[in-house]
Amino acid sequence: MPAEEFVAGWISGALGLVLGHPFDTVKLLGFFKGMSFPIASIAVVNSILFGVYSNALLALTATSHQERRAQPPSYTHVFIAGCTGGFLQAYCLAPFDLIKVRLQNQTEPRAKPGSPQPRYRGPVHCAASIFQAEGPRGLFRGAWALTLRDTPTLGIYFVTYEWLCRQFTPDGQTPSSGTVLVAGGFAGITSWVAATPLDVIKSRMQMAGLKQRAYGGLLDCMVSSARQEGLGVFFRGLTINSARAFPVNAVTFLSYEHLLLSWG
């Protein structure tokens, strides 16, 4: 199985996170709060996503990354490969994403002499605390919502990217850097439009243990949220997600494509 796609995905994921992390924390101060842990985790997860996607396409079409411009795969194959990458990514991402959400939602200030200690002192302490208080399943709180979010969304993500690249690139040629940036950015926005409702539910289920609120499951969380706050709650955060998605995914795809091109 070719390894270049995994390495390129790892590097491009780290670069994208560095650019997008301030949007993720949404704070005027502490833009890079908790950044070292997301860089390590998202790089690994992005490596899985791009590596599985590319190798799934290889299995479906028998064409390598370098050959796909001359023999472009069908959008059906692109969608299936993207869904496969999204499903496996979600499985690996769930505990990391839970820890990131819990750390970023801490309201306690940094510990000062005489002040109370924050609930979580770091990612390892956060993981240990969740495991102790909520059991092994606690580390996968919101995992079903994450899986339902990422599986079809990442199929849409890669289809959008491929479609835009093909629209602005002559047949058989490699997309220009400008085309890759625009296609990657709009692929990110499109995927977040599809993903935001389940992202809201995922985050609420992940924070349920911290806020001592129990949901009976994914459906119960959706019904309770809609009943209490209306259907608009499912698109809360779409603006900030879209603002983050364009530059992050533009840089992610540009670095991924250039790394594979330089290694090809």
Side-chain angles (χ1 to χ4, degrees):
M1 181 180 290
E4 291 88 350
E5 288 86 355
F6 288 95
V7 178
W10 191 95
I11 296 172
S12 62
L15 291 173
L17 181 77
V18 169
L19 182 63
H21 194 73
F23 291 98
D24 215 17
T25 54
V26 199
K27 295 179 184 289
L28 291 177
L29 295 175
F31 266 174
F32 293 94
K33 177 183 179 182
M35 186 161 185
S36 59
F37 175 70
I39 282 181
S41 59
I42 205 65
V44 172
V45 169
N46 214 62
S47 171
I48 293 169
L49 171 61
F50 279 88
V52 171
Y53 166 74
S54 189
N55 283 283
L57 265 186
L58 178 62
L60 289 167
T61 65
T63 56
S64 66
H65 183 84
Q66 290 77 12
E67 298 168 332
R68 285 175 201 146
R69 294 306 167 195
Q71 305 174 56
S74 70
Y75 291 121
T76 300
H77 285 155
V78 171
F79 181 76
I80 292 172
C83 289
T84 303
F87 179 83
L88 292 175
Q89 174 199 253
Y91 180 81
C92 298
L93 176 62
F96 295 118
D97 191 63
L98 173 65
I99 292 166
K100 183 198 74 169
V101 168
R102 291 284 181 93
L103 288 174
Q104 289 181 342
N105 279 276
Q106 285 194 132
T107 57
E108 299 92 336
R110 289 185 180 276
K112 296 179 180 179
S115 66
Q117 289 288 329
R119 180 185 291 264
Y120 303 125
R121 297 191 294 273
V124 174
H125 180 253
C126 180
S129 298
I130 294 170
F131 186 88
Q132 183 176 18
E134 304 171 46
R137 293 181 62 183
L139 289 170
F140 288 87
R141 187 180 295 275
W144 272 114
L146 186 65
T147 302
L148 290 174
R149 183 197 77 176
D150 283 359
T151 301
T153 295
L154 286 162
I156 295 169
Y157 175 69
F158 284 107
V159 167
T160 303
Y161 173 74
E162 281 294 324
W163 182 79
L164 287 170
C165 281
R166 294 181 196 179
Q167 294 305 302
F168 299 103
T169 306
D171 292 344
Q173 294 189 21
T174 301
S176 66
S177 296
T179 296
V180 170
L181 283 169
V182 171
F186 277 106
I189 291 176
T190 302
S191 65
W192 269 111
V193 169
T196 295
L198 278 166
D199 188 64
V200 170
I201 297 304
K202 170 196 71 76
S203 297
R204 289 182 172 221
M205 293 184 71
Q206 287 173 327
M207 293 302 296
L210 185 63
K211 295 181 177 179
Q212 302 302 313
R213 179 174 182 175
Y215 292 111
L218 178 67
L219 184 60
D220 179 53
C221 182
M222 293 176 68
V223 171
S224 298
S225 298
R227 182 180 296 140
Q228 294 173 15
E229 301 172 63
L231 294 177
V233 69
F234 296 121
F235 292 94
R236 186 170 295 170
L238 178 57
T239 301
I240 191 68
N241 283 337
S242 297
R244 174 187 182 276
F246 191 95
V248 167
N249 290 282
V251 168
T252 296
F253 270 107
L254 183 65
S255 55
Y256 176 77
E257 294 285 3
H258 274 271
L259 284 168
L260 289 182
L261 186 63
S262 64
W263 293 339

